[in-house]
Protein backbone atom coordinates (compact mmCIF):
# COMPACT_ATOMS: atom_id res chain seq x y z
CA UNK A 1 0.00 0.00 0.00
CA UNK A 2 1.31 3.46 -0.80
CA UNK A 3 1.73 5.91 2.08
CA UNK A 4 -0.63 8.88 1.57
CA UNK A 5 0.83 11.19 4.20
CA UNK A 6 2.48 14.30 2.72
CA UNK A 7 6.19 14.68 3.45
CA UNK A 8 6.82 18.16 4.80
CA UNK A 9 9.86 20.45 4.98
CA UNK A 10 11.84 20.85 8.20
CA UNK A 11 10.92 23.39 10.91
CA UNK A 12 12.93 26.60 10.47
CA UNK A 13 13.98 25.56 6.95
CA UNK A 14 12.00 27.51 4.40
CA UNK A 15 11.21 27.23 0.71
CA UNK A 16 11.70 30.43 -1.25
CA UNK A 17 8.72 30.40 -3.59
CA UNK A 18 8.48 31.92 -7.08
CA UNK A 19 6.40 34.82 -5.76
CA UNK A 20 9.29 35.84 -3.46
CA UNK A 21 12.02 35.48 -6.06
CA UNK A 22 11.94 39.06 -7.33
CA UNK A 23 12.80 40.24 -3.79
CA UNK A 24 15.67 37.77 -3.50
CA UNK A 25 17.04 38.59 -6.91
CA UNK A 26 16.93 42.29 -6.10
CA UNK A 27 18.88 41.69 -2.87
CA UNK A 28 21.42 39.32 -4.42
CA UNK A 29 21.79 41.57 -7.48
CA UNK A 30 22.59 44.57 -5.25
CA UNK A 31 25.10 42.46 -3.26
CA UNK A 32 26.92 41.36 -6.42
CA UNK A 33 26.85 44.82 -8.00
CA UNK A 34 28.18 46.56 -4.92
CA UNK A 35 30.86 43.95 -4.21
CA UNK A 36 32.03 44.33 -7.79
CA UNK A 37 32.09 48.14 -7.45
CA UNK A 38 34.26 47.87 -4.34
CA UNK A 39 36.68 45.44 -6.03
CA UNK A 40 35.56 42.26 -4.21
CA UNK A 41 35.62 38.90 -5.99
CA UNK A 42 33.14 36.10 -5.46
CA UNK A 43 34.24 32.91 -3.70
CA UNK A 44 32.11 29.78 -3.27
CA UNK A 45 33.20 27.51 -0.45
CA UNK A 46 31.55 24.22 0.55
CA UNK A 47 28.42 23.97 2.63
CA UNK A 48 30.02 21.35 4.87
CA UNK A 49 33.47 21.15 6.36
CA UNK A 50 35.26 19.17 9.07
CA UNK A 51 33.83 20.11 12.46
CA UNK A 52 37.26 21.08 13.77
CA UNK A 53 37.34 24.09 11.44
CA UNK A 54 34.36 25.72 13.16
CA UNK A 55 35.37 24.65 16.67
CA UNK A 56 38.82 26.19 16.22
CA UNK A 57 37.64 29.42 14.61
CA UNK A 58 34.26 30.32 16.16
CA UNK A 59 35.39 29.04 19.59
CA UNK A 60 34.40 25.95 21.61
CA UNK A 61 32.61 27.92 24.31
CA UNK A 62 30.32 29.90 21.95
CA UNK A 63 26.59 29.14 21.66
CA UNK A 64 27.10 28.30 17.99
CA UNK A 65 29.67 25.56 18.61
CA UNK A 66 28.21 24.37 21.92
CA UNK A 67 24.64 23.88 20.82
CA UNK A 68 23.74 25.15 17.37
CA UNK A 69 25.78 23.17 14.85
CA UNK A 70 24.45 20.45 12.59
CA UNK A 71 27.20 17.90 13.12
CA UNK A 72 27.25 14.33 11.82
CA UNK A 73 29.81 11.57 11.28
CA UNK A 74 30.94 10.83 7.74
CA UNK A 75 31.00 7.15 6.72
CA UNK A 76 34.61 6.88 7.87
CA UNK A 77 33.79 8.46 11.21
CA UNK A 78 35.19 11.96 10.46
CA UNK A 79 33.05 14.58 12.16
CA UNK A 80 31.50 16.97 9.63
CA UNK A 81 29.39 20.10 10.15
CA UNK A 82 27.02 22.13 7.97
CA UNK A 83 28.56 25.59 7.94
CA UNK A 84 27.03 27.89 10.58
CA UNK A 85 28.77 30.92 9.00
CA UNK A 86 31.07 31.80 6.11
CA UNK A 87 34.27 33.31 7.53
CA UNK A 88 35.89 30.07 8.71
CA UNK A 89 35.51 28.38 5.31
CA UNK A 90 36.79 31.42 3.40
CA UNK A 91 39.88 31.68 5.62
CA UNK A 92 40.49 27.93 5.27
CA UNK A 93 40.26 28.22 1.46
CA UNK A 94 42.57 31.25 1.52
CA UNK A 95 45.25 29.25 3.36
CA UNK A 96 44.74 26.07 1.36
CA UNK A 97 45.01 27.75 -2.05
CA UNK A 98 47.59 30.32 -1.02
CA UNK A 99 45.24 33.06 -2.22
CA UNK A 100 47.53 35.67 -0.71
CA UNK A 101 49.81 35.17 -3.72
CA UNK A 102 47.23 36.92 -5.92
CA UNK A 103 46.50 40.54 -5.03
CA UNK A 104 42.94 40.22 -6.39
CA UNK A 105 42.10 37.62 -3.78
CA UNK A 106 42.45 39.89 -0.79
CA UNK A 107 38.85 40.99 -1.07
CA UNK A 108 36.24 38.27 -1.30
CA UNK A 109 32.46 38.02 -1.08
CA UNK A 110 30.01 35.14 -0.85
CA UNK A 111 26.30 34.43 -0.93
CA UNK A 112 24.70 31.25 0.32
CA UNK A 113 22.93 29.22 2.96
CA UNK A 114 24.17 28.77 6.54
CA UNK A 115 22.82 26.37 9.18
CA UNK A 116 22.25 26.85 12.90
CA UNK A 117 20.05 24.80 15.18
CA UNK A 118 18.28 27.75 16.79
CA UNK A 119 14.71 28.07 18.04
CA UNK A 120 12.86 29.26 14.93
CA UNK A 121 10.98 32.57 15.16
CA UNK A 122 10.39 35.59 12.93
CA UNK A 123 13.75 36.36 11.32
CA UNK A 124 15.48 33.37 12.93
CA UNK A 125 15.78 30.19 10.91
CA UNK A 126 17.75 26.97 10.93
CA UNK A 127 18.71 27.38 7.29
CA UNK A 128 19.24 31.03 6.46
CA UNK A 129 21.18 32.93 3.83
CA UNK A 130 24.05 35.36 4.15
CA UNK A 131 25.82 37.86 1.96
CA UNK A 132 29.29 38.26 3.42
CA UNK A 133 32.57 39.93 2.57
CA UNK A 134 36.06 39.22 3.87
CA UNK A 135 38.98 41.60 3.39
CA UNK A 136 42.16 39.69 4.15
CA UNK A 137 45.75 40.85 4.70
CA UNK A 138 45.14 44.52 5.48
CA UNK A 139 45.99 45.85 8.91
CA UNK A 140 45.01 49.43 8.12
CA UNK A 141 41.98 50.87 9.93
CA UNK A 142 40.94 52.15 6.49
CA UNK A 143 40.11 48.52 5.59
CA UNK A 144 37.67 48.52 8.55
CA UNK A 145 36.19 51.76 7.23
CA UNK A 146 35.81 50.31 3.71
CA UNK A 147 34.08 47.15 4.94
CA UNK A 148 31.68 49.09 7.16
CA UNK A 149 31.02 51.57 4.32
CA UNK A 150 30.14 48.68 1.99
CA UNK A 151 27.74 47.21 4.55
CA UNK A 152 26.14 50.57 5.26
CA UNK A 153 25.72 51.48 1.62
CA UNK A 154 24.23 48.06 0.81
CA UNK A 155 21.60 48.25 3.54
CA UNK A 156 20.80 51.97 3.62
CA UNK A 157 21.34 53.27 0.08
CA UNK A 158 20.98 50.30 -2.27
CA UNK A 159 18.15 48.54 -0.44
CA UNK A 160 16.76 51.51 1.50
CA UNK A 161 15.95 49.45 4.61
CA UNK A 162 14.10 51.40 7.31
CA UNK A 163 15.17 52.47 10.77
CA UNK A 164 18.81 51.34 10.69
CA UNK A 165 21.42 51.93 13.39
CA UNK A 166 25.13 51.21 13.13
CA UNK A 167 26.88 50.36 16.39
CA UNK A 168 30.60 49.91 16.81
CA UNK A 169 32.93 48.78 19.55
CA UNK A 170 36.59 48.03 20.07
CA UNK A 171 37.24 44.61 21.59
CA UNK A 172 40.98 45.12 22.03
CA UNK A 173 43.68 42.97 20.49
CA UNK A 174 45.16 39.69 21.65
CA UNK A 175 47.56 41.61 23.92
CA UNK A 176 44.83 43.68 25.61
CA UNK A 177 42.37 40.88 26.18
CA UNK A 178 43.88 38.62 28.93
CA UNK A 179 44.40 41.41 31.48
CA UNK A 180 40.95 42.84 30.76
CA UNK A 181 39.30 39.42 30.96
CA UNK A 182 40.87 38.80 34.38
CA UNK A 183 39.63 42.18 35.61
CA UNK A 184 36.14 41.57 34.23
CA UNK A 185 35.99 38.10 35.76
CA UNK A 186 36.91 39.49 39.15
CA UNK A 187 34.12 42.05 38.82
CA UNK A 188 31.59 39.44 37.65
CA UNK A 189 32.42 37.18 40.58
CA UNK A 190 31.52 40.02 42.92
CA UNK A 191 28.09 40.19 41.20
CA UNK A 192 27.57 36.49 40.64
CA UNK A 193 24.39 36.28 42.71
CA UNK A 194 22.68 38.83 40.43
CA UNK A 195 23.53 37.11 37.15
CA UNK A 196 21.28 34.73 35.22
CA UNK A 197 22.16 31.04 35.14
CA UNK A 198 23.53 31.27 31.62
CA UNK A 199 25.85 34.13 32.53
CA UNK A 200 27.07 32.37 35.67
CA UNK A 201 28.02 29.44 33.50
CA UNK A 202 29.58 31.61 30.77
CA UNK A 203 31.46 33.81 33.18
CA UNK A 204 34.53 31.55 33.42
CA UNK A 205 34.66 30.40 29.79
CA UNK A 206 33.68 33.61 28.00
CA UNK A 207 33.30 36.55 30.43
CA UNK A 208 32.90 39.16 27.65
CA UNK A 209 29.64 37.52 26.53
CA UNK A 210 28.09 38.40 29.90
CA UNK A 211 28.20 42.07 28.87
CA UNK A 212 26.03 41.18 25.86
CA UNK A 213 23.31 39.36 27.88
CA UNK A 214 19.84 40.79 27.24
CA UNK A 215 18.36 39.81 30.65
CA UNK A 216 17.55 43.13 32.44
CA UNK A 217 18.94 42.02 35.83
CA UNK A 218 22.25 41.04 34.21
CA UNK A 219 22.41 44.40 32.46
CA UNK A 220 21.82 46.20 35.73
CA UNK A 221 24.42 44.08 37.54
CA UNK A 222 27.05 44.85 34.89
CA UNK A 223 26.25 48.55 34.47
CA UNK A 224 29.48 49.61 36.17
CA UNK A 225 31.63 46.73 34.89
CA UNK A 226 35.12 47.69 33.77
CA UNK A 227 35.06 48.74 30.11
CA UNK A 228 37.58 47.47 27.64
CA UNK A 229 37.93 50.97 26.20
CA UNK A 230 39.73 51.92 29.42
CA UNK A 231 42.15 49.02 29.11
CA UNK A 232 43.47 49.33 25.59
CA UNK A 233 47.08 49.56 24.50
CA UNK A 234 47.96 52.78 22.64
CA UNK A 235 48.04 51.03 19.19
CA UNK A 236 44.58 49.47 19.73
CA UNK A 237 43.23 52.83 20.84
CA UNK A 238 44.74 54.54 17.81
CA UNK A 239 43.35 51.92 15.44
CA UNK A 240 39.84 52.52 16.73
CA UNK A 241 40.19 56.30 16.64
CA UNK A 242 41.18 56.07 12.98
CA UNK A 243 38.22 53.84 12.21
CA UNK A 244 35.89 56.35 13.84
CA UNK A 245 37.40 59.34 12.07
CA UNK A 246 37.23 57.45 8.74
CA UNK A 247 33.53 56.78 9.29
CA UNK A 248 32.99 60.43 10.17
CA UNK A 249 34.86 61.51 7.01
CA UNK A 250 32.48 59.38 4.91
CA UNK A 251 29.45 60.73 6.75
CA UNK A 252 28.46 57.33 8.16
CA UNK A 253 26.57 57.94 11.39
CA UNK A 254 27.35 55.44 14.15
CA UNK A 255 27.02 55.01 17.89
CA UNK A 256 29.47 53.45 20.32
CA UNK A 257 28.17 50.44 22.20
CA UNK A 258 30.59 49.15 24.80
CA UNK A 259 28.41 46.05 25.28
CA UNK A 260 28.70 44.94 21.67
CA UNK A 261 30.66 41.71 21.99
CA UNK A 262 29.40 39.36 19.23
CA UNK A 263 28.85 35.64 19.52
CA UNK A 264 32.00 34.47 17.74
CA UNK A 265 35.35 34.26 19.50
CA UNK A 266 37.59 35.19 16.59
CA UNK A 267 36.99 38.93 16.80
CA UNK A 268 39.72 41.43 17.72
CA UNK A 269 39.66 45.25 17.74
CA UNK A 270 36.73 46.55 15.65
CA UNK A 271 33.31 44.92 16.03
CA UNK A 272 30.11 46.32 14.52
CA UNK A 273 26.46 45.56 14.03
CA UNK A 274 23.60 47.11 12.06
CA UNK A 275 20.15 46.71 13.60
CA UNK A 276 16.70 47.79 12.46
CA UNK A 277 14.00 49.11 14.77
CA UNK A 278 11.44 47.43 12.49
CA UNK A 279 12.54 43.84 13.14
CA UNK A 280 11.45 42.93 16.68
CA UNK A 281 13.59 40.69 18.89
CA UNK A 282 15.95 39.41 16.18
CA UNK A 283 16.98 42.89 15.14
CA UNK A 284 20.52 42.40 13.76
CA UNK A 285 20.51 42.77 9.99
CA UNK A 286 24.24 42.47 9.53
CA UNK A 287 27.35 42.31 11.66
CA UNK A 288 31.06 41.72 11.56
CA UNK A 289 34.45 42.71 12.77
CA UNK A 290 38.19 42.20 12.62
CA UNK A 291 39.72 38.75 13.14
CA UNK A 292 43.46 39.33 13.17
CA UNK A 293 44.42 36.05 14.88
CA UNK A 294 42.11 33.70 12.97
CA UNK A 295 44.30 32.82 10.01
CA UNK A 296 47.18 31.86 12.28
CA UNK A 297 44.88 29.92 14.63
CA UNK A 298 43.88 27.82 11.61
CA UNK A 299 47.52 27.02 10.83
CA UNK A 300 48.03 29.70 8.16
CA UNK A 301 50.25 32.76 7.94
CA UNK A 302 49.80 35.56 10.44
CA UNK A 303 47.50 37.71 8.28
CA UNK A 304 44.79 40.02 9.59
CA UNK A 305 41.23 40.11 8.29
CA UNK A 306 37.95 41.97 8.58
CA UNK A 307 34.49 41.27 7.22
CA UNK A 308 30.77 41.17 7.78
CA UNK A 309 27.74 39.05 6.98
CA UNK A 310 24.16 40.14 6.39
CA UNK A 311 21.13 37.90 7.06
CA UNK A 312 19.16 37.95 3.83
CA UNK A 313 15.85 36.71 5.29
CA UNK A 314 15.92 39.73 7.60
CA UNK A 315 16.75 42.00 4.67
CA UNK A 316 13.84 40.53 2.73
CA UNK A 317 11.45 41.21 5.64
CA UNK A 318 12.50 44.87 5.61
CA UNK A 319 12.85 45.50 1.87
CA UNK A 320 10.42 48.18 0.65
CA UNK A 321 8.31 47.02 -2.33
CA UNK A 322 9.44 50.08 -4.28
CA UNK A 323 13.03 48.75 -4.33
CA UNK A 324 12.09 45.36 -5.79
CA UNK A 325 13.00 45.28 -9.48
CA UNK A 326 10.00 44.15 -11.55
CA UNK A 327 10.64 41.20 -13.89
CA UNK A 328 11.01 42.14 -17.56
CA UNK A 329 7.69 42.10 -19.49
CA UNK A 330 6.53 38.78 -20.87
CA UNK A 331 5.12 38.50 -24.35
CA UNK A 332 2.41 35.93 -25.00
CA UNK A 333 2.07 34.31 -28.42
CA UNK A 334 -1.43 33.17 -29.37
CA UNK A 335 -1.02 30.85 -32.39
CA UNK A 336 -4.17 28.97 -33.39
CA UNK A 337 -5.70 27.26 -36.42
CA UNK A 338 -4.13 24.87 -38.94
CA UNK A 339 -1.64 27.50 -40.22
CA UNK A 340 -1.57 29.90 -37.30
CA UNK A 341 -0.57 27.34 -34.68
CA UNK A 342 2.71 26.22 -36.38
CA UNK A 343 3.45 29.82 -37.43
CA UNK A 344 2.96 30.87 -33.80
CA UNK A 345 5.31 28.18 -32.59
CA UNK A 346 8.01 29.39 -34.99
CA UNK A 347 7.41 32.98 -33.99
CA UNK A 348 7.76 32.09 -30.29
CA UNK A 349 11.00 30.27 -31.04
CA UNK A 350 12.35 33.30 -32.98
CA UNK A 351 11.38 35.73 -30.21
CA UNK A 352 13.29 33.71 -27.62
CA UNK A 353 16.28 33.39 -29.93
CA UNK A 354 16.30 37.20 -30.23
CA UNK A 355 16.26 37.56 -26.42
CA UNK A 356 12.59 38.45 -25.92
CA UNK A 357 10.95 36.85 -22.87
CA UNK A 358 7.95 35.01 -24.32
CA UNK A 359 5.55 32.14 -23.67
CA UNK A 360 2.34 30.52 -24.95
CA UNK A 361 -0.26 27.98 -23.85
CA UNK A 362 0.10 24.67 -25.66
CA UNK A 363 -3.39 23.59 -24.58
CA UNK A 364 -5.25 26.54 -26.14
CA UNK A 365 -6.75 26.03 -29.59
CA UNK A 366 -8.85 29.22 -29.78
CA UNK A 367 -8.04 32.91 -29.44
CA UNK A 368 -10.36 33.17 -26.44
CA UNK A 369 -8.53 30.40 -24.57
CA UNK A 370 -5.16 32.02 -25.34
CA UNK A 371 -6.28 35.44 -24.12
CA UNK A 372 -7.64 33.98 -20.89
CA UNK A 373 -4.30 32.34 -20.19
CA UNK A 374 -2.33 35.47 -21.16
CA UNK A 375 -4.43 37.42 -18.68
CA UNK A 376 -3.78 34.88 -15.90
CA UNK A 377 -0.05 35.06 -16.51
CA UNK A 378 -0.11 38.85 -16.38
CA UNK A 379 1.29 39.20 -19.92
CA UNK A 380 0.95 42.80 -21.08
CA UNK A 381 1.33 42.17 -24.82
CA UNK A 382 -0.11 39.34 -26.91
CA UNK A 383 0.93 38.46 -30.45
CA UNK A 384 -2.09 37.03 -32.27
CA UNK A 385 -1.34 34.66 -35.14
CA UNK A 386 -4.39 32.86 -36.50
CA UNK A 387 -4.95 31.39 -39.98
CA UNK A 388 -5.97 34.84 -41.37
CA UNK A 389 -2.81 36.51 -40.11
CA UNK A 390 -0.65 33.63 -41.34
CA UNK A 391 -2.22 33.93 -44.82
CA UNK A 392 -1.70 37.73 -44.91
CA UNK A 393 1.88 37.49 -43.58
CA UNK A 394 1.19 39.63 -40.52
CA UNK A 395 0.60 39.45 -36.78
CA UNK A 396 -1.79 41.40 -34.56
CA UNK A 397 -0.30 42.95 -31.47
CA UNK A 398 -2.78 43.35 -28.60
CA UNK A 399 -2.17 45.48 -25.55
CA UNK A 400 -3.89 43.61 -22.72
CA UNK A 401 -4.40 46.73 -20.62
CA UNK A 402 -5.83 49.12 -23.22
CA UNK A 403 -7.26 46.33 -25.43
CA UNK A 404 -5.86 48.24 -28.41
CA UNK A 405 -4.68 46.18 -31.36
CA UNK A 406 -2.34 46.94 -34.25
CA UNK A 407 -1.14 45.02 -37.29
CA UNK A 408 2.55 44.34 -37.85
CA UNK A 409 4.09 42.66 -40.90
CA UNK A 410 5.31 39.20 -39.88
CA UNK A 411 8.63 39.86 -41.54
CA UNK A 412 10.63 42.03 -39.16
CA UNK A 413 8.07 41.68 -36.33
CA UNK A 414 10.57 39.98 -33.96
CA UNK A 415 13.07 42.84 -34.33
CA UNK A 416 10.34 45.46 -33.97
CA UNK A 417 9.08 43.83 -30.75
CA UNK A 418 12.58 43.47 -29.35
CA UNK A 419 13.22 47.18 -29.90
CA UNK A 420 9.89 48.18 -28.46
CA UNK A 421 10.32 46.10 -25.27
CA UNK A 422 13.87 47.23 -24.69
CA UNK A 423 12.85 50.84 -24.98
CA UNK A 424 10.10 50.43 -22.37
P1 LIG B 1 26.72 36.62 12.74
O1 LIG B 1 26.47 37.84 13.56
O2 LIG B 1 26.68 35.33 13.45
O3 LIG B 1 28.11 36.84 12.03
O4 LIG B 1 25.67 36.57 11.56
C1 LIG B 1 25.51 37.65 10.67
C2 LIG B 1 24.04 37.89 10.36
O5 LIG B 1 23.42 36.68 9.92
C3 LIG B 1 23.21 38.31 11.56
O6 LIG B 1 23.33 39.70 11.80
C4 LIG B 1 21.81 37.93 11.09
O7 LIG B 1 21.28 38.94 10.24
C5 LIG B 1 22.05 36.69 10.28
N1 LIG B 1 21.71 35.49 11.05
C6 LIG B 1 22.45 34.86 11.99
N2 LIG B 1 21.80 33.79 12.47
C7 LIG B 1 20.61 33.73 11.85
C8 LIG B 1 19.49 32.84 11.90
N3 LIG B 1 19.47 31.78 12.70
N4 LIG B 1 18.42 33.10 11.09
C9 LIG B 1 18.43 34.18 10.26
N5 LIG B 1 19.47 35.03 10.16
C10 LIG B 1 20.53 34.82 10.93
C11 LIG B 1 28.71 35.93 11.20
O8 LIG B 1 28.14 34.99 10.71
C12 LIG B 1 30.12 36.29 10.82
N6 LIG B 1 30.68 35.24 9.95
C13 LIG B 1 30.17 37.66 10.14
C14 LIG B 1 31.57 38.03 9.74
C15 LIG B 1 32.12 37.93 8.51
N7 LIG B 1 32.48 38.50 10.55
C16 LIG B 1 33.61 38.70 9.87
N8 LIG B 1 33.39 38.35 8.63
Amino acid sequence: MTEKRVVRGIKGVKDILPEEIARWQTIEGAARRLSFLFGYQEIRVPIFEVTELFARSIGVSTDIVEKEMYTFPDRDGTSLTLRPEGTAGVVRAYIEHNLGASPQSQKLFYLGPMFRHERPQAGRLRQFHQFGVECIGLESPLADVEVIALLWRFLSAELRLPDLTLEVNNLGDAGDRPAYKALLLEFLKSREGRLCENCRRRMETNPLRVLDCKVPTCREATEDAPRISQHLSPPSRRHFEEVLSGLAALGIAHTLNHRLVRGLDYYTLTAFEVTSGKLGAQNAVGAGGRYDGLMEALGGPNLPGIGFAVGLERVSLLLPDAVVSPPPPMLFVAGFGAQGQPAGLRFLHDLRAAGVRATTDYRASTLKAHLRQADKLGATLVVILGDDEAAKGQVVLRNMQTKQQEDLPLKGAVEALFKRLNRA
Side-chain angles (χ1 to χ4, degrees):
M1 220 170 64
T2 47
E3 170 82 84
K4 283 279 191 233
R5 193 172 44 85
V6 173
V7 179
R8 299 200 176 272
I10 303 164
K11 199 171 155 201
V13 178
K14 285 220 265 189
D15 299 305
I16 299 173
L17 299 174
E19 66 202 42
E20 301 163 79
I21 282 300
R23 302 180 80 70
W24 281 81
Q25 288 180 348
T26 300
I27 297 166
E28 290 164 354
R32 287 179 198 285
R33 201 172 51 247
L34 206 59
S35 300
F36 179 75
L37 269 183
F38 276 66
Y40 284 68
Q41 288 212 315
E42 184 169 356
I43 183 164
R44 299 186 189 192
V45 292
I47 278 168
F48 62 112
E49 302 260 8
V50 292
T51 304
E52 185 193 357
L53 173 70
F54 302 114
R56 266 169 65 182
S57 50
I58 299 167
V60 285
S61 63
T62 57
D63 284 353
I64 296 180
V65 173
E66 267 187 355
K67 46 190 190 203
E68 293 171 1
M69 296 206 303
Y70 282 95
T71 296
F72 53 95
D74 201 353
R75 285 170 192 268
D76 68 358
T78 313
S79 182
L80 303 178
T81 292
L82 297 185
R83 62 181 188 192
E85 59 105 50
T87 311
V90 171
V91 172
R92 179 204 47 73
Y94 192 97
I95 300 169
E96 201 166 324
H97 304 286
N98 189 22
L99 293 184
S102 138
Q104 277 97 32
S105 308
Q106 274 181 349
K107 298 184 176 183
L108 302 162
F109 80 92
Y110 50 90
L111 282 158
M114 308 291 161
F115 306 85
R116 295 184 194 174
H117 192 279
E118 297 200 76
R119 203 157 34 79
Q121 61 183 80
R124 190 161 75 186
L125 294 150
R126 291 182 172 171
Q127 173 174 323
F128 59 99
H129 296 78
Q130 284 186 342
F131 157 47
V133 315
E134 310 296 349
C135 172
I136 295 173
L138 301 180
E139 229 170 76
S140 166
L142 297 180
D144 308 34
V145 175
E146 174 178 286
V147 164
I148 297 174
L150 204 171
L151 172 66
W152 188 248
R153 175 152 164 208
F154 175 65
L155 299 176
S156 70
E158 299 289 319
L159 300 179
R160 289 190 263 143
L161 305 189
D163 209 355
L164 297 177
T165 308
L166 166 66
E167 292 181 330
V168 290
N169 192 19
N170 182 357
L171 301 175
D173 65 15
D176 303 329
R177 208 76 74 75
Y180 172 69
K181 265 192 181 170
L183 206 68
L184 182 61
L185 182 59
E186 202 180 309
F187 170 87
L188 294 174
K189 278 187 177 153
S190 74
R191 306 290 157 105
E192 196 169 350
R194 293 168 61 191
L195 299 177
C196 73
E197 204 190 324
N198 204 10
C199 283
R200 282 206 297 267
R201 192 177 51 81
R202 270 200 300 217
M203 203 167 82
E204 301 277 352
T205 51
N206 209 340
L208 263 74
R209 289 290 286 165
V210 176
L211 296 176
D212 195 30
C213 181
K214 303 286 182 292
V215 175
T217 45
C218 290
R219 289 187 96 79
E220 260 168 49
T222 55
E223 203 45 64
D224 52 350
R227 295 187 178 185
I228 191 153
S229 56
Q230 285 138 14
H231 302 273
L232 296 170
S233 63
S236 303
R237 197 183 300 272
R238 215 172 315 120
H239 183 95
F240 196 51
E241 279 163 9
E242 287 178 34
V243 173
L244 298 183
S245 60
L247 292 177
L250 298 185
I252 299 174
H254 52 276
T255 53
L256 299 183
N257 177 359
H258 70 93
R259 287 186 184 271
L260 182 67
V261 171
R262 314 271 302 111
L264 305 106
D265 278 358
Y266 50 61
Y267 289 118
T268 52
L269 295 171
T270 316
F272 52 91
E273 191 163 87
V274 176
T275 54
S276 168
K278 295 273 187 287
L279 268 181
Q282 300 305 316
N283 64 356
V285 191
R290 208 166 241 291
Y291 46 85
D292 290 352
L294 178 58
M295 177 98 55
E296 207 177 16
L298 292 177
N302 181 15
L303 286 178
I306 177 154
F308 69 74
V310 169
L312 300 188
E313 280 75 9
R314 295 183 191 176
V315 170
S316 174
L317 285 172
L318 293 169
L319 191 70
D321 287 339
V323 178
V324 179
S325 338
M330 173 117 83
L331 225 129
F332 190 97
V333 178
F336 54 99
Q339 274 78 50
Q341 196 267 341
L345 200 62
R346 235 179 355 263
F347 195 74
L348 176 64
H349 187 75
D350 292 347
L351 281 171
R352 289 171 172 169
V356 177
R357 186 171 183 245
T359 192
T360 189
D361 180 7
Y362 297 117
R363 294 161 303 183
S365 56
T366 62
L367 178 59
K368 206 169 151 203
H370 271 299
L371 291 181
R372 203 179 314 122
Q373 188 62 11
D375 200 39
K376 275 195 200 154
L377 290 176
T380 45
L381 284 177
V382 177
V383 174
I384 299 172
L385 227 173
D387 288 346
D388 282 358
E389 287 77 19
K392 285 193 244 166
Q394 67 175 43
V395 296
V396 174
L397 188 63
R398 179 183 171 91
N399 182 318
M400 292 297 280
Q401 271 136 22
T402 63
K403 312 258 185 303
Q404 271 177 348
Q405 301 198 161
E406 63 180 290
D407 296 341
L408 291 179
L410 185 55
K411 200 166 173 326
V414 167
E415 293 73 21
L417 285 168
F418 179 84
K419 274 200 200 126
R420 196 180 290 209
L421 291 171
N422 283 295
R423 239 186 299 119

